[in-house]
Amino acid sequence: MAHDLEILSSGTASMFSVKETPWHGLGVILDQPPTVEEGLVEAGLNWNVSLAPLNTDSGLTVPDHRAVVRDTDSKILGVVGKGWKPLQNQDAFSWFQPWLDSGVATLESAGSLKGGKRVWVMAKIKADPLVIVPGADDTVERYILLSNGHDGTMAIRAGFSAVRVVCQNTLSAAISDSASKLLRVRHSGKAMQALDEIQKVMNVAEAQFQATAEQYRRLAACRVNDADMVKYVQRVFKVTPATTTDAAANDPGDEGDDCSRLINRILPLFEKGRGNDLPGVKGTLWGAMNAVTEYLTHDRGHNLDNRIDSLWFGQGANLTQKAYIEALKMAA
């Protein structure tokens, strides 16, 4: 299967994961959470980037733009404006150090996509899973995610992520306005200072995750049928029976999110998806939301890496949030 994980000169994918099998079996599986220094090496991210001037073939310097160059192999990762400052991988990992020192969290996963252009580090908050449906073994774990682009196409993002344990669905955490989205920080000389401010926001994570769990439980208390599910899918993806999205029209290799295909793919997940046949989950808005997030996490896109890239860096994150918002509207 094709993938976007960067393959190192050793033949290993640039990724580590704690106790879980990495994508396609290519990454490094660790028995215990690593330190910052160990994680940097195990993920193959122990490299820096620098900025170099751009010149035309005739030797003229391109004004106000520079190339982002990886120091280890001189690979050009992107072209950026003069105000762009890199966040080095070491600094991205080190941002988690206070969490590790206090025992609040442990490093869970890290790696790079698209040849080093995009990098992520994820830590797991050390707390009991949030129980959504008592007796059904349906729980949610809490994570902190930092993602960064070395190609100049995205801001540094750091914030909360929630994952449903039974199926590893990436969910949308209902955090307050200042923390509900993956917070965007401009690539500038003050980036690390801004990340310190994000850490202050995260100090309120426990209470807000508990509030999230209460809203999930509210969804689990609302019964819905197949007809309701069809309406829900149409609202989340903004499609009608006559709709075919731009993805399907512009990319023949992508089946797109046309209405009939979405219904045919998501309705079975509502009925028999991972964890959706559990007592107290089946036939509820909680099951409906998880059918959509299972589709986004496990089915949508050409391959697993594209889905992860979308969920953490692109449209998938917006659709996950939309699935949560529309479910809450239906529960009102």
Side-chain angles (χ1 to χ4, degrees):
M1 179 184 291
H3 60 82
D4 285 338
L5 285 169
E6 182 174 19
I7 301 300
L8 306 174
S9 59
S10 63
T12 303
S14 177
M15 174 185 175
F16 80 78
S17 181
V18 177
K19 296 183 180 179
E20 297 287 341
T21 303
W23 303 334
H24 316 304
L26 295 172
V28 176
I29 306 173
L30 303 180
D31 292 331
Q32 299 294 330
T35 64
V36 162
E37 291 74 18
E38 292 168 345
L40 198 66
V41 173
E42 295 290 359
L45 293 174
N46 50 336
W47 44 265
N48 293 326
V49 298
S50 58
L51 301 176
L54 289 173
N55 298 303
T56 66
D57 290 340
S58 61
L60 296 175
T61 300
V62 179
D64 300 330
H65 287 83
R66 293 175 292 176
V68 182
V69 182
R70 181 159 57 184
D71 294 347
T72 52
D73 58 3
S74 298
K75 179 178 180 179
I76 297 176
L77 300 180
V79 175
V80 298
K82 63 180 181 179
W84 192 92
K85 301 292 183 182
L87 175 71
Q88 302 293 355
N89 296 336
Q90 173 69 56
D91 292 331
F93 271 83
S94 295
W95 181 74
F96 288 90
Q97 192 65 61
W99 291 88
L100 308 187
D101 291 341
S102 65
V104 172
T106 57
L107 292 179
E108 180 78 4
S109 177
S112 71
L113 296 170
K114 300 184 181 299
K117 293 180 179 181
R118 293 183 175 180
V119 169
W120 85 90
V121 186
M122 178 177 277
K124 183 177 182 180
I125 297 175
K126 294 173 66 175
D128 292 336
L130 300 169
V131 177
I132 308 304
V133 180
D137 195 26
D138 195 6
T139 58
V140 171
E141 294 278 14
R142 290 152 281 186
Y143 294 87
I144 307 165
L145 172 67
L146 186 151
S147 55
N148 178 41
H150 287 302
D151 58 355
T153 63
M154 63 173 290
I156 304 163
R157 302 179 182 183
F160 301 116
S161 181
V163 175
R164 189 186 186 208
V165 175
V166 71
C167 56
Q168 294 299 299
N169 285 358
T170 299
L171 304 174
S172 178
I175 310 301
S176 65
D177 289 343
S178 60
S180 61
K181 299 177 181 178
L182 288 177
L183 304 180
R184 289 162 175 78
V185 183
R186 293 181 60 236
H187 282 273
S188 68
K190 296 183 179 180
M192 288 305 296
Q193 178 182 345
L195 289 177
D196 287 340
E197 293 301 314
I198 293 174
Q199 188 158 328
K200 295 178 184 178
V201 175
M202 286 183 174
N203 289 336
V204 300
E206 179 61 24
Q208 294 181 329
F209 268 116
Q210 291 293 343
T212 301
E214 284 300 319
Q215 291 175 317
Y216 290 162
R217 292 177 193 123
R218 191 169 122 211
L219 297 181
C222 294
R223 307 291 302 178
V224 291
N225 55 33
D226 286 358
D228 296 325
M229 185 65 194
V230 170
K231 293 178 182 178
Y232 173 60
V233 171
Q234 291 173 343
R235 291 175 183 175
V236 171
F237 291 90
K238 295 183 179 179
V239 294
T240 67
T243 299
T244 299
T245 62
D246 290 342
N250 296 334
D251 184 355
D254 189 341
E255 293 175 296
D257 289 333
D258 63 279
C259 188
S260 61
R261 176 179 177 271
L262 284 168
I263 298 303
N264 290 337
R265 295 294 294 274
I266 297 176
L267 194 58
L269 298 178
F270 172 60
E271 297 170 347
K272 296 182 180 180
R274 296 172 175 88
N276 273 4
D277 56 351
L278 293 171
V281 178
K282 187 176 180 63
T284 68
L285 270 174
W286 173 239
M289 189 184 83
N290 279 289
V292 170
T293 56
E294 181 176 350
Y295 168 72
L296 293 173
T297 304
H298 297 283
D299 293 345
R300 190 174 188 251
H302 291 293
N303 56 50
L304 176 58
D305 307 311
N306 285 344
R307 290 193 290 273
I308 295 298
D309 185 37
S310 179
L311 284 167
W312 290 351
F313 298 93
Q315 186 191 32
N318 296 331
L319 287 172
T320 301
Q321 178 73 4
K322 181 70 171 174
Y324 174 73
I325 291 172
E326 292 299 327
L328 285 182
K329 288 180 181 178
M330 292 180 68

